């Protein structure tokens, strides 16, 4: 079990953002291309971190649905960067051994010959410890 | 010299001037001193030779308060100081009758001594009218010679020129003596490391005995009361017990005359400790020339001095750090 | 004798600030809670042109490790032209200090407007850091004044 | 030796939380000259001031040091308090232990140490203070208003009604300002022109008001009560006395393709033009940059058709120099540029407009004669989307960190007006918060929702995507429903942030008035002196000080007028006694000081002096204290130290230096 407080602090540290700057305008959710596939919406990432409800955040579908396109980061008027928050939450999981979304041996089946090699390599680099 | 004395007698006799400000022989053959002559008779003691380095323009501050005109003998470089004093309302042009006297460079007894010439009894070849290139010196050890040039004051090697900037009449020939770069010494110091610079000035200034000779002779240091003597800055009457005191004194002195100093070199000439004080003034002159355009104090009597002037585009003080 | 090395070096820094721009800029830094080291002590003067080179030398004589002068930006002087004179004076003075071997980072001029609280704080942080890197001002300190 | 009292303020916890106030008292009490030291919660309060006064009387204090907030805040307060207790006010000095200490340091020990040093410096200074007497200077009974919008007009009218001469300087060819561009005004929906035009006419007709349009302030010198201002009257190329305002020249002008600034560039104007029909003065100007006559030397049509012979191509700029006692800044605002907000497609689609542009479109005198239509194809929009907070409340570098204040209300107004006039048009407003503090403001907003059916969605728009069919796809969020919305719109209106007029920086510099990081002019005190600049004699009216709507602007304009009148009503002002003073026994009479004096305050006199028994006539510097402003340039220029500045003397500053370096 994660310590919720320290996990929230960790997310703030990794993302380098201050969620308290959020003015709840919703521009992140307005701009998100994956909005409909998410259970927790981008603007909610912020309140989940503020409220230190990290367990719910890391168990959400959204954690793996964010494309890291950073449109929300770019357009956030308050410099809160929800995309960075969710990315940090993902890092939190990835940094815990065995917490990976996919097991290594599941991957070959999922491989699509169309998939660029580069994407795989960078995904591994990013999400593997 | 005789011509000069004759002319002085004439002017005294016809009442044009009330007195003559010149030099009279001192107790040694190489130390003539500034003097007033009020009668034709007294002029027999008048001298003007290579050792008459003293700049008489500062004496005109007091002479301006006296009745009648004063005949003052000014060398070319002295006229710059006189102009500067006019600009600052310290002398009265109407009270001065200026005879611009010729100059073939002034002599520095220390330079002669440094060549090992001691026990001096008399010196010939120092006369202003003399064409001689060599000084012949009678000493208790016999006759010695020395090239005139080698005995010249440092300032004469970097002479501003032999043109008188202000005068009523000219008398006597001059000879160009400039053969060195005025800022060469300053540049040499500028090229040193901070430690070397500090050591250099520490060494020079630690000789200072705060006799105030530099201040008293300086035509720009003409304040009725120097800041170092008044209680306005809590700096009065301090003995120089630490090294910073002299630095402060000499920096401030140079700062106070910056833009006003004509580089007459009197400070260095009179320093009993032989401190090259002109290096401070010349540093300011060099900086002023590079930062704000060339400026020669005393060139005229009206231009604005560089420290009472500015342009919108002046360099920032950070230039000092930037140029390294 | 390692007294000096054991103790953290806390520089003495005098900042001359003109009343209209820089002092107000320092006030703004304060009201915006923009911190800078406590080593900086501000002396209020009406204008940067009030700063006499003697004050700066005096500070060094009394043991200051750095002296900074702040004024309105050139062109913005409350008295129209004061900082232009100050700029010439300080340029010449700093050049002279450099000439006699004082590390030139010990003196600085910065133009800080009343709106530049951030700049004021940044400038002071930088300056203190610079003085830290230069260390104690041993060259100019008047030994008698150490207490 | 002085008898000094030291008073250390807690400022509630502002100081006391970081500075050990008791320790400061204890250590200050040991300083030379100090005979009394105490602390108090709020020194600036009446009780705090009473403590100072009591100590002055009981301990016969000759000097006071208050360790408190910035002297810019309460120096005057404490000096007045001391004066009431019989002490010369200039015997009071402030040690700034709040802005310069407690507010910036966190460590108590460190902050306390610094506070003690700051106190010492102030004590050392007071030890050398001398009582000073203020002088007097005259007040020119005339005010200058910079900016001829509603703020400037209102201030001018109020000052003029009090009987003082007022000049308005307006940059554009007509007074009226932003308000003249508006269609209707909230919350009463009366037409802007209907309420503004009478004010403009009143100002123009007022015998005490003189209006310089098409003019700019070029140079300002002097000080409170006695400013000298150069005003550049730009060449209008039309003789104001001859022109009858018939408008034929504008009809005939062949150069017709110049973006019309008044209509925000939505249509064109001619090279000779009046910005709008109700312009005051109703005299056109020739825009020389776009005039064929000025560009090529040929044309001259306007001159030919002008029956009054008013066209004057040779007119030159004219500089008018005038003296003023007070200056009011009323330079107003503009909307920010949207070049950093690509996501809203402002530069890609003609149908994405700013609210100010909508204001012109809705106006009967505007580019569409008041018909709501798309600028791309002239069709009436059926779906209209308003986006709030565009560039406002942004902490990134794209926008402004402040709330522009007026957008919520004007958007409700626009939405309501459109729903009223075009019931078939749907109106959606994306908002973050609806801010409606103001009389009848929330009621107004609720009417838009409840009565007019405006659809308010809480959420911001992420992007606007122009569609091939000419419509706009608005992608926004609905935070209440927790949904992302894709909405087709025919027109999008951006509530663009407002910013101070860009010229204000230049003007503030000339006036030496302070300005904040957002270019709003700073007030002397955010709460207690909101219409005055910290620079004496400069007053602030309207949006140049901060975002405001019309009623607030008018109220502030009146307040600024009252402050200006308060100044103009005085015959004389007491002047700052911290002036330069020359010690005639030390003065060389060298004129160096006069060369650097910006006020020409130094002259020279031949004066009989007695210098320790030597009697002589000397040329000495004399300072005119009415002219001297106390900058101190002369004190440093003076080589002998004869020139000193009262209140900031050489010895005082040196004492501070020594105290700090001790």
């Amino acid at each position: 079990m994660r310590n919720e407080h320290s996990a929230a602090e960790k997310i703030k540290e990794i993302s380098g953002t201050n969620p308290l700057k959020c003015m709840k305008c919703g521009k992140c959710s307005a701009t998100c291309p994956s909005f409909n596939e998410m259970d927790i919406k981008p603007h909610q990432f912020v309140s989940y971190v503020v409220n230190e409800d990290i367990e719910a955040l890391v168990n959400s579908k959204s954690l793996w649905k964010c494309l890291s396109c950073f449109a929300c980061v770019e357009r956030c008027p308050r410099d809160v960067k929800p995309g960075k928050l969710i990315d940090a939450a993902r890092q939190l999981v990835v940094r815990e051994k065995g917490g990976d979304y996919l097991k290594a041996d599941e991957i070959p089946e999922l491989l699509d010959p169309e998939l660029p090699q580069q994407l795989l390599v960078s995904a591994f680099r990013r999400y593997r410890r | 010299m005789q011509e000069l004395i004759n002319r002085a007698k004439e002017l005294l006799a016809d009442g044009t001037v009330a007195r003559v400000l010149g030099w009279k022989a001192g107790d040694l053959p190489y130390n003539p001193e500034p003097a007033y002559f009020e009668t034709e008779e007294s002029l027999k003691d008048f001298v003007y030779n290579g050792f008459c380095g003293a700049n008489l323009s500062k004496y005109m501050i007091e002479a301006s308060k006296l009745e009648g005109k004063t005949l003052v003998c000014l060398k070319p470089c002295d006229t710059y100081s006189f102009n500067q004093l006019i600009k600052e309302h310290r002398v009265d042009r109407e009270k001065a009758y200026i005879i611009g006297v010729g100059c073939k460079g002034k002599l520095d007894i220390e330079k002669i001594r440094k060549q090992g010439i001691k026990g001096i009894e008399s010196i010939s070849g120092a006369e202003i009218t003399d064409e001689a290139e060599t000084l012949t010196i009678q000493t208790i050890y016999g006759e010695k010679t020395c090239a005139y040039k080698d005995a010249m004051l440092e300032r004469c090697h970097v002479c501003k020129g032999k043109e008188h900037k202000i005068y009523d009449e000219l008398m006597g020939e001059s000879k160009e003596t400039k053969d060195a770069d005025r800022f060469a010494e300053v540049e040499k110091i500028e090229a040193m490391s901070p430690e070397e610079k500090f050591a250099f000035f520490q060494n020079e200034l630690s000789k200072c005995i705060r006799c105030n000779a530099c201040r008293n002779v300086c035509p720009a240091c003409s304040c009725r009361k120097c800041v170092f003597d008044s209680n306005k800055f809590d700096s009065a009457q301090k003995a120089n017990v630490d090294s910073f005191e002299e630095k402060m004194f000499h920096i401030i002195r140079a700062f106070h005359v910056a833009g006003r100093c004509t580089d007459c070199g009197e400070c260095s000439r009179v320093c009993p400790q032989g401190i090259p004080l002109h290096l401070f003034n010349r540093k300011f002159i060099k900086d002023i020339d590079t930062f704000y355009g060339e400026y020669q104090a005393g060139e005229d009597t009206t231009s604005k001095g560089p420290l009472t002037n500015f342009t919108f585009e002046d360099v920032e003080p950070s230039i000092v750090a930037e140029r390294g | 004798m390692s007294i000096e090395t054991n103790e953290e070096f806390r520089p003495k820094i005098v900042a001359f600030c003109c009343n209209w721009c820089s002092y107000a800029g320092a006030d703004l830094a304060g009201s915006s809670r923009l911190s800078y080291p406590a080593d900086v002590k501000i002396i209020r003067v009406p204008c940067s042109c009030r700063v006499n080179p003697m004050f700066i030398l005096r500070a060094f004589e009394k043991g200051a490790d750095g002296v900074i002068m702040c004024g309105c930006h050139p062109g913005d002087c409350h008295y129209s032209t004061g900082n232009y004179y100050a700029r010439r004076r300080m340029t010449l003075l700093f050049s002279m200090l450099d000439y006699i071997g004082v590390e030139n980072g010990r003196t600085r001029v910065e133009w800080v407007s009343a709106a530049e609280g951030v700049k004021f704080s940044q400038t002071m942080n930088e300056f203190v850091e610079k003085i830290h890197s230069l260390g104690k001002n041993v060259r100019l300190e008047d030994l008698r004044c150490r207490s | 030796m002085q008898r000094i009292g030291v008073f250390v303020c807690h400022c509630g916890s502002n100081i006391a939380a970081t500075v050990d106030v008791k320790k400061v008292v204890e250590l200050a009490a040991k300083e030379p000259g100090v005979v009394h030291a105490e602390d108090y919660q709020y020194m600036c309060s009446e009780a705090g001031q009473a403590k100072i006064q009591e100590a002055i009387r009981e301990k016969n204090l000759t000097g006071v040091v208050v360790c408190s907030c910035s002297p810019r805040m309460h120096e005057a307060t404490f000096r007045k308090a001391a004066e009431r207790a019989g002490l010369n006010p200039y015997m009071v000095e402030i040690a700034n232990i709040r802005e310069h200490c407690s507010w910036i340091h966190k460590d108590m020990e460190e902050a306390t140490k610094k506070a003690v040093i700051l106190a010492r410096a102030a004590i050392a200074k007071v030890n050398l203070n001398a009582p000073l007497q203020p002088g007097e200077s005259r007040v020119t009974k005339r005010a200058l208003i910079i900016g001829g919008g509603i703020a400037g007009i209102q201030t001018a009218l109020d000052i003029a009604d009090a009987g003082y001469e007022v000049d308005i300087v307006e940059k554009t060819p007509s007074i009226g300002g932003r308000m003249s561009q508006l269609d209707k005004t909230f919350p009463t929906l009366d037409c802007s022109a209907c309420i503004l035009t009478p004010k403009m006419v009143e100002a123009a007709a007022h015998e005490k008001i003189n209006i310089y349009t098409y003019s700019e302030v070029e140079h300002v010198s002097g000080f409170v009560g006695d400013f000298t201002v150069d005003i550049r009257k730009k060449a209008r190329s039309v003789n104001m006395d001859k022109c009858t305002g018939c408008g034929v020249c504008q009809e005939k002008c062949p150069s017709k393709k110049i973006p019309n600034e008044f209509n925000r560039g939505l249509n064109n104007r001619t090279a000779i033009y009046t910005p709008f029909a109700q312009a005051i003065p109703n005299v056109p100007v020739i825009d020389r940059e776009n005039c064929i006559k000025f560009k090529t030397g040929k044309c001259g049509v306007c001159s030919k058709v002008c029956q009054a012979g008013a066209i004057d191509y040779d007119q030159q700029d004219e500089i008018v120099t005038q003296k003023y006692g007070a200056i009011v800044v009323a330079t107003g605002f503009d909307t920010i540029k949207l070049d950093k907000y690509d996501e809203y497609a402002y530069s890609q689609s003609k149908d994405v407009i700013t609210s100010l542009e909508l204001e012109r479109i809705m106006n009967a005198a505007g580019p569409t004669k008041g018909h709501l239509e798309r600028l791309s194809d002239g069709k009436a929009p059926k779906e209209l989307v308003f986006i709030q907070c565009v560039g406002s409340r942004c902490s990134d570098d794209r926008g402004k960190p402040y709330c522009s204040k007026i957008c919520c209300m004007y958007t409700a107004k626009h939405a309501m007006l459109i729903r009223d006039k075009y019931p078939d048009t749907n109106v959606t407003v994306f908002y973050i918060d609806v801010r409606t503090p103001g009389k009848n403001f929330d009621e107004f907003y609720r009417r838009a929702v409840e009565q007019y059916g405006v659809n308010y969605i809480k959420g911001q728009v992420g992007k606007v995507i122009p569609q091939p069919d000419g419509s706009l796809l608005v992608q926004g969020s609905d935070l209440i429903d927790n949904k992302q919305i894709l909405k087709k719109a025919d027109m999008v209106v951006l509530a663009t942030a407002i910013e101070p007029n860009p010229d204000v920086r230049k003007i503030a510099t000339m006036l030496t008035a302070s300005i904040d990081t957002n270019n709003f002019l700073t007030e002397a005190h955010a709460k207690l002196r909101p219409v005055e600049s910290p620079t004496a004699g400069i007053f602030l009216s309207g949006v140049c000080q901060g975002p405001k709507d019309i009623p607030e602007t008018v109220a502030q304009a009146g307040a600024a007028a009252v402050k200006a009148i308060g100044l103009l009503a005085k015959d004389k002002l007491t002047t700052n006694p911290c002036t330069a003073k020359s010690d005639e026994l030390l003065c060389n009479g060298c004129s160096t000081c006069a060369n650097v004096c910006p006020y020409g305050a130094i002259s020279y006199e031949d004066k009989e002096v007695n210098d320790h028994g030597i009697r002589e006539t000397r040329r000495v510097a004399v300072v005119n204290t009415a002219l001297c402003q106390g900058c101190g340039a002369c004190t440093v220029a003076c080589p002998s130290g004869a020139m000193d500045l009262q209140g900031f003397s050489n010895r005082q500053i040196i004492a501070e230096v020594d105290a700090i370096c001790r």
Side-chain angles (χ1 to χ4, degrees), chain D residues 506-552:
Chain D
K506 200 175 76 199
I507 289 167
T509 302
M510 281 193 270
L511 298 171
T512 67
S514 21
I515 206 165
D516 69 16
T517 41
N518 296 313
N519 280 1
F520 287 116
L521 282 154
T522 318
E523 53 279 21
H525 190 289
K527 282 136 276 183
L528 305 176
R529 294 173 68 194
V531 300
E532 296 158 77
S533 159
T535 304
I538 310 289
F539 304 96
L540 315 176
S541 179
V543 180
C544 68
Q545 178 263 342
K548 271 174 206 71
D549 58 25
I550 295 167
E552 270 188 297

Side-chain angles (χ1 to χ4, degrees), chain D residues 45 73 118 200 262 321 350 380 526 563 605 621 641:
Chain D
S45 69
M73 190 75 76
L118 294 177
M200 289 164 62
F262 187 74
T321 304
K350 276 186 147 183
K563 289 290 174 186
E605 281 175 13

Side-chain angles (χ1 to χ4, degrees), chain D residues 33 83 299 326 329 461 478 522 637:
Chain D
E83 193 173 21
C299 188
V329 189
V461 169
D478 181 337
T522 318

Side-chain angles (χ1 to χ4, degrees), chain D residues 10 143 553:
Chain D
H10 294 228
T553 294

Side-chain angles (χ1 to χ4, degrees), chain B residues 158-170:
Chain B
V158 297
C159 178
K160 286 187 285 288
K162 301 295 187 219
E163 187 195 336
H164 292 82
K165 291 290 161 182
I166 188 167
Y167 56 86
D168 290 302
E169 59 182 278
L170 293 176

Side-chain angles (χ1 to χ4, degrees), chain C residues 12 27 44 50 58 76 115, chain D residues 70 75 509 515 650 658 661:
Chain C
K12 286 180 188 168
D27 279 357
R44 183 165 71 128
R50 178 66 189 94
R58 175 74 167 214
D76 294 357
Chain D
S70 171
E75 187 177 65
T509 302
I515 206 165
N650 292 322
D658 288 2
C661 297

